[in-house]
Amino acid sequence: DQQVKQNSPSLSVQEGRISILNCDYTNSMFDYFLWYKKYPAEGPTFLISISSIKDKNEDGRFTVFLNKSAKHLSLHIVPSQPGDSAVYFCAASEGAGNMLTFGGGTRLMVKP
Amino acid sequence: DADVTQTPRNRITKTGKRIMLECSQTKGHDRMYWYRQDPGLGLRLIYYSFDVKDINKGEISDGYSVSRQAQAKFSLSLESAIPNQTALYFCAAAQGRGGTQYFGPGTRLTVL
């Protein structure tokens, strides 16, 4: 049973608009969450993280929101750019730096 | 960035063959990991190592073995490859307990 789920396998957004990628988790012991971005033929690269003591973390165009009661997190990209087109994975762990459990990924396509 | 490299980048082999995938990192990070990626399932942890003398099984270790030959090198072996081991394999490195995992470019393995 997947403990981290990304229910949307793909998302298409117009350039300049907001992209919202969602992730749900079931393990209440998870307290550290990350988003990775993956381009074809490359490994995942770290994008942004959030600890469970916060409900929001922002880094430039990227913001991650955490709703602990709903066991839900989301990544907002504003404004979306064609170069953001990639597969996005959310991941969770029990403590920062511990074993990561990944979601299945969401393919984001940003259309010019 | 941990400058993680993986060899080979692509490999096609036959059922029953022994295969070794190699991973090296240049930053001297102490922790190294092997994952496999399957469509829709995200990345799943096969093995991890916190230092040269510390090797641990991950979520899906059956059919795999590893060797940490040095701080910088972590190899994954398939003793007798089978078709359902066809996947994309990623190595990652991290420094210390709270360290972010940095991924290599991946090895695409096909078992016929």
Side-chain angles (χ1 to χ4, degrees):
Chain A
D1 186 28
Q2 284 188 284
Q3 298 184 69
V4 179
K5 289 186 179 179
Q6 295 175 253
N7 290 317
S8 298
S10 65
L11 175 67
S12 183
V13 172
Q14 204 69 35
E15 181 179 6
R17 304 295 291 269
I18 184 171
S19 295
I20 301 176
L21 295 90
N22 294 302
C23 180
D24 297 294
Y25 62 96
T26 57
N27 186 343
S28 58
M29 298 299 292
F30 288 149
D31 59 2
Y32 191 72
F33 306 89
L34 308 88
W35 285 93
Y36 280 82
K37 178 168 72 173
K38 184 184 177 305
Y39 292 119
E42 295 183 12
T45 56
F46 170 73
L47 191 57
I48 192 169
S49 63
I50 188 168
S51 164
S52 62
I53 62 173
K54 294 185 175 182
D55 54 18
K56 176 183 173 180
N57 189 27
E58 194 170 353
D59 183 2
R61 295 185 298 113
F62 303 90
T63 303
V64 56
F65 295 91
L66 175 62
N67 182 333
K68 291 184 288 295
S69 61
K71 294 190 177 67
H72 177 83
L73 64 154
S74 60
L75 174 69
H76 292 210
I77 307 173
V78 183
S80 301
Q81 300 173 355
D84 296 329
S85 297
V87 177
Y88 289 79
F89 293 99
C90 70
S93 66
E94 298 179 29
N98 284 330
M99 297 306 101
L100 294 177
T101 300
F102 283 84
T106 296
R107 183 177 301 279
L108 174 65
M109 293 163 284
V110 180
K111 296 179 289 186
Chain B
D1 193 350
D3 289 327
V4 182
T5 58
Q6 293 183 235
T7 56
R9 294 295 312 276
N10 289 282
R11 181 72 185 267
I12 299 174
T13 191
K14 295 182 178 180
T15 297
K17 295 290 187 182
R18 184 178 187 274
I19 295 297
M20 179 180 285
L21 308 182
E22 301 191 1
C23 175
S24 295
Q25 48 104 356
T26 60
K27 299 293 187 179
H29 289 349
D30 55 353
R31 300 183 173 204
M32 297 187 75
Y33 308 81
W34 275 104
Y35 293 87
R36 66 177 276 175
Q37 183 193 354
D38 298 278
L41 293 179
L43 283 75
R44 292 181 293 165
L45 184 63
I46 305 172
Y47 270 95
Y48 60 101
S49 169
F50 285 169
D51 66 38
V52 174
K53 296 182 180 179
D54 180 58
I55 304 288
N56 304 281
K57 292 182 177 181
E59 178 188 354
I60 52 164
S61 59
D62 286 350
Y64 302 94
S65 62
V66 291
S67 173
R68 186 86 183 261
Q69 301 96 321
Q71 180 87 342
K73 296 183 181 296
F74 193 36
S75 300
L76 176 72
S77 293
L78 288 68
E79 296 302 324
S80 179
I82 56 177
N84 77 0
Q85 291 177 314
T86 293
L88 197 50
Y89 289 84
F90 290 101
C91 175
Q95 178 58 39
R97 180 176 171 81
T100 298
Q101 292 186 30
Y102 296 98
F103 285 82
T107 294
R108 184 170 295 281
L109 177 67
T110 302
V111 183
L112 301 176

